[in-house]
Amino acid sequence: MRRHGIGYLLASILALGWLTGCHRDSAPPTDFEELSPGVGYANPRLDEGPWSIHVVRVDRTRPTLELHSVHAGGGALGLSPLSEQLRRIPATSGTPVAAINGDFYQRDRPHAGDPRGLQIVSGELISAPNGGVAFWTDSTGQPHTGAVQSRLQLVWPDGSTTPLGLNQEREPSSAVLYTPAAGPNTHTPDGLEIIVEPQGDSAGRPLRPGTTNVVRVRSTQTQGDSRIDPGTWVLSLGSGPAQSHSPPAPGTELSVITGSNPDLRGVRTAIGGGPILVDQGRPQRIQAPSKDSYEFSSMVEQHPRSAVGWNDQFFFLVLVDGRQPDLSVGMTLEELAKTLAGLGCAEAMNLDGGGSATLWADGKIRNSPCDGRERPIANALVVVRAPPTP
């Protein structure tokens, strides 16, 4: 089969009438199947490529449709298929109507499922930003994407500070805060571990972004793998940070600051990914760093892809099947960026792809996973229909 470029793909999308549906003042498209009020789905299959593209389009003007992030097992670690994660969503959060896989993640135990970047679930910070790109909706529901730097830190009684990771593998030179979202134990091999109890407004509440949390030391130990009891957090210090401070006595008050740049105070939904694919309507050029690793070489290879995008009127969950020559070969990140811009996305961010790429809508998986089945993944971005207000 003769291979055509991405221009042919966009011409085919235009011929299908999709672009007319991506602008506020145009007539509604006729090629989207309405799955439920405000939620449409389309699956064009183009011979050139070949490509099989799945698009869920969500009407942003409907206040009952909300974007939430979820994590496998309801915590910060663990892996499970997307459809299983959706079954765990409580009825009080709403009814899931569409979902797509989320961030890249740690595969190895005991911290399998640790998202590579930021994640906020229902206002709870479960994974700290790592300086990479993330998607979030602010306190007014407006979407954003961009690089987020962590300012998560421990403040000692003398005013000195120690940078913190969150619910992740702790290296000898680092310090990590573990909350109940990490599970019953820290899974650390050794090091100074300070068991603390949040005080004041922080007591009995999940860890929130953009806050200062006063904590009181309950106990310390150096054997590692501390228990994380309900109502407690564990500050785990590797050999480097531990040498800088003496173990604090029980009753000592410390502070944990969950800052970031930009400030994410009040954010209830966030998920990591990257890179940015569309900025102000313009598809971005994707140049892989000259590093010998699959992580970077795959950026310019054709693989299954997932992405989230939006414009003034719609959110888009987009997935391109791949690694299946008779159905769809997949896309490079640049091909995906041009496709998203052609669909009308003003902004868009890449999500994890490959065997993790999964799109669910109206009760079933819509794409063809390249593994032949759903792969257990760490997290997802979900469209829920909020329950009626009493």
Side-chain angles (χ1 to χ4, degrees):
M1 180 182 296
R2 183 169 178 264
R3 176 84 185 280
H4 293 271
I6 192 68
Y8 179 82
L9 169 65
L10 298 184
S12 300
I13 293 176
L14 182 60
L16 287 171
W18 283 26
L19 296 185
T20 61
C22 298
H23 298 283
R24 182 179 297 278
D25 298 328
S26 59
T30 58
D31 298 290
F32 279 87
E33 172 192 0
E34 187 178 48
L35 302 181
S36 60
V39 180
Y41 167 74
N43 174 213
R45 297 188 179 187
L46 307 179
D47 290 338
E48 301 306 324
W51 282 300
S52 176
I53 307 168
H54 304 263
V55 183
V56 169
R57 191 188 65 181
V58 181
D59 187 350
R60 290 183 58 192
T61 67
R62 294 179 180 261
T64 58
L65 294 174
E66 303 173 348
L67 278 176
H68 291 203
S69 78
V70 297
H71 195 284
L77 303 177
L79 301 169
S80 65
L82 174 58
S83 56
E84 182 177 321
Q85 294 186 28
L86 299 179
R87 288 194 290 269
R88 292 177 176 268
I89 295 177
T92 53
S93 295
T95 303
V97 295
I100 196 166
N101 66 286
D103 195 5
F104 305 88
Y105 54 89
Q106 167 76 304
R107 295 178 182 273
D108 300 327
R109 296 185 181 277
H111 294 92
D114 170 33
R116 182 179 300 178
L118 172 69
Q119 187 169 9
I120 300 173
V121 178
S122 298
E124 180 180 3
L125 181 64
I126 66 169
S127 180
N130 65 349
V133 174
F135 166 86
W136 71 95
T137 53
D138 63 25
S139 57
T140 66
Q142 294 301 307
H144 303 267
T145 188
V148 183
Q149 301 289 337
S150 178
R151 299 289 185 266
L152 182 62
Q153 58 186 334
L154 168 64
V155 182
W156 297 88
D158 63 2
S160 61
T161 61
T162 298
L164 292 172
L166 178 63
N167 297 328
Q168 64 193 59
E169 183 177 4
R170 195 215 68 216
E171 302 292 341
S173 60
S174 67
V176 173
L177 169 66
Y178 293 97
T179 69
N185 298 79
T186 62
H187 299 292
T188 49
D190 52 27
L192 173 62
E193 299 205 317
I194 309 169
I195 294 83
V196 299
E197 298 173 314
Q199 303 295 302
D201 292 340
S202 303
R205 297 181 59 185
L207 186 68
R208 305 289 188 185
T211 59
T212 297
N213 306 269
V214 177
V215 298
R216 182 172 296 154
V217 175
R218 174 191 282 186
S219 62
T220 61
Q221 62 106 354
T222 57
Q223 288 75 40
D225 200 23
S226 296
R227 283 188 53 80
I228 310 171
D229 293 321
T232 69
W233 302 341
V234 177
L235 295 159
S236 181
L237 279 62
S239 56
Q243 291 175 359
S244 302
H245 295 88
S246 301
T252 302
E253 289 193 345
L254 311 169
S255 293
V256 173
I257 299 176
T258 58
S260 62
N261 184 21
D263 185 5
L264 298 177
R265 186 178 313 172
V267 169
R268 295 189 56 79
T269 294
I271 201 162
I276 292 174
L277 298 175
V278 181
D279 181 26
Q280 299 182 42
R282 295 188 296 270
Q284 301 299 288
R285 293 194 62 187
I286 307 297
Q287 294 183 329
S290 56
K291 296 182 179 180
D292 186 19
S293 73
Y294 174 77
E295 175 184 353
F296 297 112
S297 65
S298 64
M299 298 171 71
V300 294
E301 298 169 350
Q302 290 182 315
H303 292 288
R305 302 290 183 183
S306 296
V308 57
W310 71 92
N311 58 27
D312 287 343
Q313 188 174 359
F314 299 110
F315 284 115
F316 297 91
L317 306 182
V318 180
L319 185 147
V320 181
D321 285 316
R323 301 176 185 170
Q324 299 166 80
D326 294 335
L327 173 68
S328 184
V329 297
M331 288 185 177
T332 68
L333 287 185
E334 278 204 4
E335 288 172 336
L336 179 62
K338 293 175 182 178
T339 301
L340 291 161
L343 288 171
C345 294
E347 310 289 337
M349 183 188 80
N350 183 57
L351 298 167
D352 191 11
S356 298
T358 315
L359 186 140
W360 179 99
D362 196 32
K364 61 183 178 181
I365 300 298
R366 295 285 175 159
N367 69 300
S368 175
C370 66
D371 291 344
R373 62 186 183 280
E374 285 189 76
R375 173 185 289 182
I377 57 176
N379 55 17
L381 195 59
V382 184
V383 181
V384 302
R385 193 176 302 279
T389 302

